Amino acid sequence: MRPGFFEHIPGGEKITLKGGRLDVPLNPIIPFIEGDGIGWDVWQAARPVLDESVQLAYSAARQLCWMELPAGDKALKQYDTLLPSETIDAFSEHLVGIKGPLTTPVGKGFRSLNVALRRALDLYVCVRPVRWIPGVPCPVNNPQNVDMVVFRENTEDIYAGIEFECGSESNMQFQTWLREHYPEEFAKIRFPASSGIGIKPISRQGSERLVRAAIRYAQKNNRGGITLIHKGNIMKYTEGAFTEWGYALAEREFGDRVYTYRQWLESKKRGGLEVANQHRSEAIQAGKIWINDSITDAAFERTLTRPDEFDILATMNLNGDLFSDALSAQVGGLGIAPGANLNDESQVAIFEATHGTAPLIAGQNKANPCSLILSGQMMLHHLGWHAAAELIQESIQKTIDSKTVTFDFLCQMPEARLVSTVEFGEAVIKHMRAVAQ
């Protein structure tokens, strides 16, 4: 074991599993990755907020025992690797952790460390709640209608990284094989000599476990609807299959706890539109989860114009990435968007800042720390420490109400008071203390 690993605040205990569920001690060891770029900045604000929320909610009875893990630039300098195997092992062993943003080059170099971490730990679900905090500036007229949760499949789709670079030997070999064995498919490549090629794997197993996790989340959190987002009208055997597999899984495993669009269509076929709508209405009134689907481009339009029609969005990797950021823009941007990557079976979960490393402002104490703070709040809910989590939510709201903001919001709130990254965290703590009194 290389030095620097598994060093944590003294007295911490591991989170374990009991009966398939988390068994959280009063002093859990929480691995964290500070992150690259503004990772250092936002962590200096977020960690004190999380610590203070626990102290105020539970006094000395509970404590987060932090354990730093190297990754990204820090790991490269210290261990000559961007993602040490010990970092992956520590997250696996301790089950729950949190991380800042990690560098990903565009167009060349190594692939995303975020993707590598998700794949190594099989964190197949990315959960991104999107909800407006009153007072946060945003570009839509009725942001209060935006209250959605994106369930993004994390391990498949084009993010699997199966690509053949234009002009490479592997590209030429693949095209030769395709031309010889499937000439009709090869003919669909418009400019073979100048094409890079990517493969898009979507599996039944991957689709089913994503939809299963979304339904379980809906049941646990009293969410009434799930929309399967896809481009199945064009990509019939990948995105179209995702939708069919999702419907089949819902009907097979959750039975009378869900009502699907496929069942509505069958009801309409047998009894007409009025009967089908009556069946759907009765199912919803009985507390069943309504599961339907939407073509990706239509869903983009509707989430902008009629956001109140959506609750949980379950979709594949690329769609989920796009929707997560687009929906976040409606409520104030990525600076205030939390997220988590998890495995519903192993119970390994890593909560993360959803934004990038923002190298142009790194080290300047300017970045908005809300994404990491709110991801930490999600983590506290995940641990079952709801009092601390709710304290953070209320205090961020009061901080925004007091018009105390970082520079990203100031340009849209000229009457507000500009504070640094750390000062924003201090303002949240001040309001937490007032709320707790």
Side-chain angles (χ1 to χ4, degrees):
M1 184 67 62
R2 285 176 283 196
F5 285 90
F6 299 100
E7 295 179 1
H8 57 80
I9 293 175
E13 299 178 58
K14 292 180 183 178
I15 297 172
T16 58
L17 290 178
K18 181 180 291 186
R21 297 189 176 186
L22 294 180
D23 185 19
V24 182
L26 297 178
N27 51 346
I29 299 170
I30 305 295
F32 73 93
I33 294 173
E34 188 177 81
D36 298 324
I38 60 171
W40 183 88
D41 306 59
V42 296
W43 184 248
Q44 303 312 305
R47 177 171 171 172
V49 169
L50 298 175
D51 286 335
E52 187 73 10
S53 72
V54 173
Q55 197 279 326
L56 290 171
Y58 308 110
S59 298
R62 302 184 189 185
Q63 180 186 17
L64 297 171
C65 296
W66 302 105
M67 176 175 69
E68 183 172 8
L69 301 177
D73 290 340
K74 183 177 288 189
L76 188 62
K77 294 174 183 177
Q78 192 171 1
Y79 300 108
D80 198 32
T81 179
L82 290 161
L83 186 60
S85 60
E86 290 93 338
T87 292
I88 296 171
D89 293 341
F91 277 125
S92 179
E93 183 176 355
H94 292 83
L95 298 178
V96 177
I98 190 169
K99 59 175 284 296
L102 291 171
T103 299
T104 300
V106 177
K108 60 182 179 179
F110 60 88
R111 292 192 179 275
S112 167
L113 293 179
N114 294 318
V115 172
L117 194 57
R118 294 166 191 163
R119 289 183 64 83
L121 295 167
D122 199 21
L123 304 177
Y124 61 85
V125 179
C126 178
V127 182
R128 294 277 295 274
V130 184
R131 186 176 65 178
W132 184 55
I133 297 176
V136 170
C138 54
V140 297
N141 291 329
N142 296 296
Q144 70 276 6
N145 293 335
V146 180
D147 184 3
M148 309 176 206
V149 182
V150 178
F151 265 67
R152 167 191 175 190
E153 200 290 320
N154 246 350
T155 64
E156 299 190 315
D157 204 350
I158 58 175
Y159 286 69
I162 307 172
E163 291 189 298
F164 303 100
E165 183 181 3
C166 174
S168 67
E169 181 65 24
S170 59
N171 185 304
M172 290 185 286
Q173 289 177 357
F174 178 79
Q175 289 199 38
T176 297
W177 175 85
L178 189 65
R179 182 174 59 247
E180 291 176 353
H181 293 84
Y182 299 96
E184 292 183 1
E185 301 302 319
F186 177 78
K188 296 176 182 179
I189 303 176
R190 186 64 184 88
F191 302 106
S194 60
S195 291
I197 295 176
I199 296 178
K200 176 188 179 76
I202 302 291
S203 72
R204 177 177 57 80
Q205 292 92 330
S207 301
E208 286 182 345
R209 64 182 187 172
L210 184 279
V211 175
R212 182 184 297 114
I215 295 174
R216 287 174 176 170
Y217 180 93
Q219 292 176 317
K220 182 178 179 180
N221 294 277
N222 297 315
R223 292 275 180 167
I226 298 173
T227 304
L228 307 176
I229 306 295
H230 63 94
K231 194 65 177 170
N233 56 330
I234 303 299
M235 292 171 277
K236 302 181 185 299
Y237 305 130
T238 51
E239 304 214 1
F242 165 85
T243 308
E244 291 304 312
W245 289 327
Y247 277 137
L249 178 281
E251 294 164 4
R252 182 177 70 250
E253 293 191 7
F254 294 89
D256 60 2
R257 290 169 287 174
V258 302
Y259 189 73
T260 70
Y261 178 67
R262 292 202 316 185
Q263 292 170 320
W264 180 88
L265 284 177
E266 183 62 27
S267 181
K268 179 184 176 185
K269 180 180 178 182
R270 293 180 176 180
L273 179 62
E274 186 175 345
V275 170
N277 286 339
Q278 179 64 26
H279 287 170
R280 176 179 177 271
S281 178
E282 291 172 353
I284 292 173
Q285 290 176 7
K288 294 184 180 181
I289 299 168
W290 166 241
I291 301 178
N292 66 345
D293 70 273
S294 178
I295 300 296
T296 303
D297 43 343
F300 263 116
E301 186 270 340
R302 288 171 56 210
T303 53
L304 279 167
T305 58
R306 303 190 297 279
D308 53 334
E309 294 181 0
F310 293 89
D311 195 341
I312 293 175
L313 281 62
T315 188
M316 291 143 290
N317 215 332
L318 178 60
N319 286 341
D321 197 1
L322 299 176
F323 268 96
S324 296
D325 287 11
L327 294 179
S328 296
Q330 293 190 51
V331 296
L334 290 176
I336 205 160
N341 301 286
L342 54 91
N343 183 307
D344 222 31
E345 283 74 44
S346 70
Q347 294 295 306
V348 176
I350 300 178
F351 298 80
E352 67 175 353
T354 59
H355 51 69
T357 58
L360 293 179
I361 61 169
Q364 298 179 36
N365 199 21
K366 294 174 61 175
N368 189 335
C370 278
S371 177
L372 191 59
I373 293 173
L374 290 171
S375 296
Q377 183 215 16
M378 285 181 69
M379 183 184 74
L380 291 172
H381 274 307
H382 187 72
L383 296 175
W385 294 11
H386 304 297
E390 289 164 5
L391 195 56
I392 291 175
Q393 182 70 46
E394 184 175 357
S395 300
I396 286 181
Q397 180 65 72
K398 289 184 176 297
T399 304
I400 298 296
D401 288 344
S402 70
K403 300 189 184 302
T404 301
V405 298
T406 48
F407 86 103
D408 55 328
F409 287 168
L410 185 70
C411 59
Q412 300 175 73
M413 299 172 64
E415 75 284 5
R417 179 171 72 93
L418 175 66
V419 294
S420 69
T421 306
V422 170
E423 287 171 339
F424 185 90
E426 291 171 347
V428 173
I429 290 173
K430 176 183 176 182
H431 287 293
M432 279 200 298
R433 290 171 177 166
V435 169
Q437 287 180 351

